[in-house]
Each structure stands twice: as structure tokens, then as C-alpha cells.
Amino acid sequence: MLRVVGCVTQDHNLGLVALACLVCVLATNTSLRLLVPRGDGSRRNSAIRTGAAILAFSTGVWTTHFVSMLAYQPGVPVSFDVPLCVLSLVIAIVGTAVAFTIQPRERGANGSIIASGLTLAAGIGAMHFVGMRSMQVPGVIHYAADLVIASLAAGALCSIAAMWLLTRRTVGWASVFLTLAVAFTHFIAMGSLTLDLVGGINVPSFGIPKPELVMAAAGACFLILTLALTASILDQHLTDRLTKEARRFRALADATFEGLIFERDGRIVDANRAMCELAGTDAASLIGRSLSDLIPGIELPQTERGRPVEQTVRLPDGQTLPVEILWRSGPDRGERVVAVRDISREKAAEGQIERMVRFDPLTGLANRELLEQQLQRALALSDRTTIGLALLYVDLDRFESVSETLGHHVAEQILVQTARRLENTVREVDTVARVGRDQFIIIQTLTEQAVDAAALPDRIIAEMALPFTIDDQPIVVTASIGVALYPADGTLAQELIKNAVLAVRQAKNDGRGRWRYFEPGMDLLLRAKRSLEHDLRMALKEKQFSLNYQPFVDTETLQVIGYEALLRWDHPERGRTSPGDFIPLAEETGMIVPIGSWVLTTACAEAMSWDQPLIISVNLSPAQFLQPGIVSTVADVLRQTGLPPGRLELEITEGTLMDDTQNALRILTSLKAIGVKIAMDDFGTGYSSLSYLRKFPFDKIKIDRSFINDVVDDSEAETIVEAIVAMSRSLRLNVTAEGVETKQQLSMLRALGCNFVQGYLLGRPRPAAQLDLHSAKTRWHVIDHAGSRPVASPAARSA
């Protein structure tokens, strides 16, 4: 070691040694910074940077060597062999190119790091000793083998260390070790040199003398400085551009409504602001976290998905949030961008609509669609086991009379309390459904038919005999029950329901407030049906039917837009008969067709006599709608009465569309071609399939009164109505709300954007003679603007 130190301090010009070290530091630092990967990911840019690094390091090391050689002062004339000088430069370039090419850019590839370091050290050593061989002196040069080996070993160790540090992106320390590799290789090797002067040996005249070599070294040094400056400017430019683009991308990512996650090797490397808000935490808590920990069960396949996939995000409080995810390849290799969208509102809306489709909105019980599904499952279970089944049809007694006397509010409270009583009477395995206004069906599983089938209706009859308490007023509404057993009273679902209905009618005929098993010989009920059928035929001939008209009002202008025609039957013996008592029989017997034709003709003729061109709305029953020739029947009525088609609105119930959707679509399309308007009546009380609204050419939907009753006080009811109105608006459908009985309901519906309203607040059904059709008297006036409390004029009330 002392020999090496003495060689450097005594046999060298220290100024030139310092210059050589400066050139070496500049070359190593420049080349290593060019080797560090940049985020642009361009192969072309990477190749340019690697080439510049190779040129900078190889020429820098070569310049360092020859400036150091210039610093060497042996005390004799010295020149340099040109071909060997050039060869040493070529060796430096080739060795550097191989080493930098195989050098890994990321951590982990230790074998490649060692190979790169050894190759680089070998190139430096070969360049040095070839350069030493180019030195021409009047004597013989000898080398100490131990110092030669030490110089090569030190260079190799420092080169390997520099390449390892480079993969850790610690360019400063890597530059230090690479500079030491060059310095150790050169100066330890110079310390091993011994010059024996020999007389008669002259320095060749064709060699490069020291002054010229100084110029060459200075030129090479200037080239290194130029390369360093150029590389520095290029690096700064690229860094500034990438930084600017990174800021722009971050601002763009944070401005999106959807969450964005950058993932690599299953872990989150970055996330935008929307993702942090969605996950309920900050970016620091997300970065480094496992993606599967945030989104349990997520699997990102090798190929990109074209459709979103539903997943859940785990929130800090342990709750989960439903989301949709879609991923794409990221800007860096192995990185992926995952887009995350919050779909909790959509899920909540779907849940509300699903409940609306499958459950009765007033009572919360299963509706007819869900009942049929449950009944089919129960029948299948009974077939596989020894468990029996009873179907109970519960019908409230004189409910229509209570409704007309006490009002719809009281009637609906009775229905709600009845539903709770039925639910509390049955077991959890039984099903309770509301299938009509005041009709309920119970599916009861049986172990011992004779005992179980009798016990439940007894309990229900006893429970329903207790008075209801509504607004501190006791009200007694009993129930009649019909019971049909499976398989004794029918093997099909509809057959069981039909026979249970026959049994409940028998119970009503026997005095109400009791229950009856179905019996095949219920001739009395059949005779009663035949008698009622006969009376229906006579009613049509003897003109016992009449029409009442109920107005519906535009919520914006508070102007009466039209009237709905409602059928009434004044039986000569029974008096005013509820449509619920005779319409089902009329549909069953086919009498609904001539009755419906009379209603349509009478309503259109009456509308033609009005002074104002108001709309007349007429209900079409399923049997009437599906009869052959209904389109021509409507066209004939319009032609005979002279009513413009645009003034006629036909109301169709949801159940009408179920049996034969293709035929129903054909009929509705033909009716629309005539010019009449089509409305879906009682929306939400039956099947409520949203596909019907998209598939069939409706102009309007009518929200059933059961949704309107609690719209003021019940936020869930308000949300459902708002969802229906918003959905209808998106489908370009008008909306009429039925059953509006309070000013608060009217104000709420106006605020929600409902187009039309109809109910007792705006006018009860009246005969045509009692309608006041002068426009000045059919307008509603809002006199309390602060509370949006509309008040009708006396004439409007009478209408």
C-alpha cells in the first residue's frame, strides 16, 4: 500500500491526478444518472439514454486513464502508440456496453448484478493495461503480480457494489463506488509498475508525444463535459415534463367522480381523492395496502375485462359498500389501474323497486306474484314429503261499506292492522299475501290436516272479531275464510285458489264472520252466481248501469284536464252494488265485454257533449282488452260518437299484459295508431314489471292510492313515489297520482313533479248532470303560497 501511495505522491503530477479524478467523478455520475429508469416507459428514449451512458462512461474512463498517464513522471521521454490507444478506447466502449446492457434496472436480480459488475471491471482493467502497453519509454516495464491482482479485485468489488446500489436508485453512492473502481484499478496497477532503463532503446518518432496527448485528453475531457451538460439538460427537461404531466394526471384523477386505484403485485401504489372518500380513509392508509384486503374476493385476470364486475369495498367501521370495478393496464409495466364506482344508491333503488314488485306497499305483505311463487314451492315440497298444505282465502266483511262511510284513510288503517293480525296468527313457515283490496291468502303447511287446518281459521276468526282502534274509535270488521286442502281440493295452484274463493263465498252466504271448507257440492254458491249473472244481463237490458265521473287535475296549472268514467250498478233489490262484487263475475262469464262496450260508448258520447275538450278516461278489463276486434270496436265508437281519438284515454291494468305479451303489444300498438292514449292503471299493486314500461307504448302510469296515503308522513313512501316519477320522466311518461285526499298530499306531489292528481280532495265521482264544465269553475286556485296549500273553488269541489 505504501508503494502505491508513494507512486501517486512522488511519481505523479498531483494537479493532473486531481483533474483525472474530477473527470472520472463527472463521467460516472453522468452515466449512472442516465441509466436510472424514467417513467416515460419509451423504448426509444431508454435506448438513447443507455447509449449516452455507455459513451459518457467509456470515454470518461479512457480520459481518466490517459490524464493519469500524463500525470505520471518517470523522468524519461514518453510517447504513446496510436493503435493501442485507440484499441484501449474500443475495449472501454465494448466492456461498458456489455455491462450496462445486462445491468438490471430493478431489485432482485443478484446474478445479473454480479455479472454486470464483473464485466465492467474486466473492461476497465483491460482498457488500463492495453493503455499502459501503449506507453513507449526507453526501457522495459515490469509489473508486480500481487498488486495487479489486487487492482483487478478491488475494481471488481467496487464495480459490483456500484451496480447493486444503482438498482436501489442510490446514484450518489453508486457513483462513489464506481469512481473508486476506476481509481483502484489504475493507481494500484501503476504502483505495481517498475521501469528498467536500457541503453540504446529510443522512443519511436511515430508515437504520440505528451503535448499532443495532453491535447487529446483535453479534447476528450471537453467531450465528457459536453456530454454531461447535454445529459443534464436533457434529464432536467424530461424530469420537468414528467413532473408537469404527473401533476396534470393527478389533478385529472382527483377531478373524477369514480375512485381510481393503481395496483402492482396485488398492492395499492396510489389512489385518487374520490377513492379515498369512497373508502373512508386517506391515501397514506391505502398506499401499500393489499388490494384484496380493501376489496375482498377481487381477482384481476391477466386479460382486461370489457364489462364492470360487482364487488364490495371494506370500510374502516367494518361495513361494506357495493361497487362496480373495471380495470386496465397501467402506464408502468406490471401496474394496473382499477376504476371503482359506488353503486350503493342504485342497489338501494333496486331494493326498493324489488320490494315494490314483490310486496304490497300498503301492508308489507307478499303480493300476488310472490304468493304464486311461494305456493308453487309449497306444492313441490308437499309432493316430496308427507307435509300437507292448506290454502286460506280471507275476505273482510262489508269492507266497502266501511270505506265509503269512514273514508279511505280509515279503510287503509284497517287493512294494515289486519295484515299485522294475520302475521301474528300464523307461523314463520307460513305465507301471508294480499291479493285484492280486502282479500288475503295464507299458505299453511300441515302435519295433521284435520287438526291444523281447523285451528288456524278458528284463531283468525277470533282475532278478527276484536274491534280495531283507529283514531281512538273502535271499529268492528269481521272476516270470512274459505279453506282448500291440497291435494284433496285441487292439485294446481289456481285450482286451489278458485276453490278457496268458492268456500269463502259460501261462508259469506252463511252469515259472514265464519269459515268453511271447500266442498265439491257447493251448489248454493253456484246458483247464487247464476242468479247474479242473470241479474247482470238484465241490468244491461234494463239500463240499471250508470256512469260517474271523477276529475283529474294538472298539478302545474291546477286545471281539470279530464274525467275518469266509473261504472255504477243500482240493483232493484240489493241497491247500490259494489263493482268489486259484480265485475269479477262479469269477467268470468264474459258479460264484461258488452258491459265494457256500453261504458266506452256512453262515456265517449257524454264527453262529446261537454263544452270543453277534456279527456275522458275509460278502464278496459283484461277480458275486454283481449277480445278479438277490440281495436275495431274502439275505432267504431270514436267514429259513431265523433270524439277525437286524442281525447280518449284507455286504462290497462298490469295483469292484462301477463298472459300473452306479444298479443298485448300488438293490440296496444294498433290502439296507439288510432290516436288514443294508453295508461297503465294501479301501478305497483300487481306485477309491476319495469320491462312493461319500456316494451309497451304507454303514455301515462297511474300510481295506486296505496302509495299516496303515506307520502307526507312516511319518507319511504315519498322515496318510492319520487322514484316512480323520476323513472317515468326518463321514459317520457306522464304520471297521475290516485287517491289524493289532503292538501298536504297534493303539495307533496306537486313538489315531486307528478303531472296529474286525482282523488276526493279534487272531486268525488259524480253523475254527468252534476258536473260543472265551465272552464272558469274547473280551475283550482292556490291562495296560500307560503305553505303551497291549494284550495278549490266551490264549483270545483262540487265537480
Side-chain angles (χ1 to χ4, degrees), residues 54-55 57-63 65-66 82-99 119-120 122-124 126-128 130-131:
I54 293 170
L55 185 60
F57 183 77
S58 59
T59 56
V61 171
W62 185 84
T63 301
H65 169 74
F66 279 98
V82 174
L84 290 178
C85 289
V86 174
L87 178 61
S88 66
L89 176 60
V90 172
I91 291 173
I93 294 174
V94 173
T96 303
V98 174
T119 303
L120 190 61
I124 295 172
M127 181 275 301
H128 170 79
V130 171

Side-chain angles (χ1 to χ4, degrees), residues 378 382 385-390 427 444-449 486-487:
S382 183
T385 64
T386 59
I387 297 176
L389 184 146
R427 302 162 301 177
Q444 179 193 17
T445 56
L446 305 174
T447 55
E448 298 183 21
Q449 290 194 359
Y486 177 82

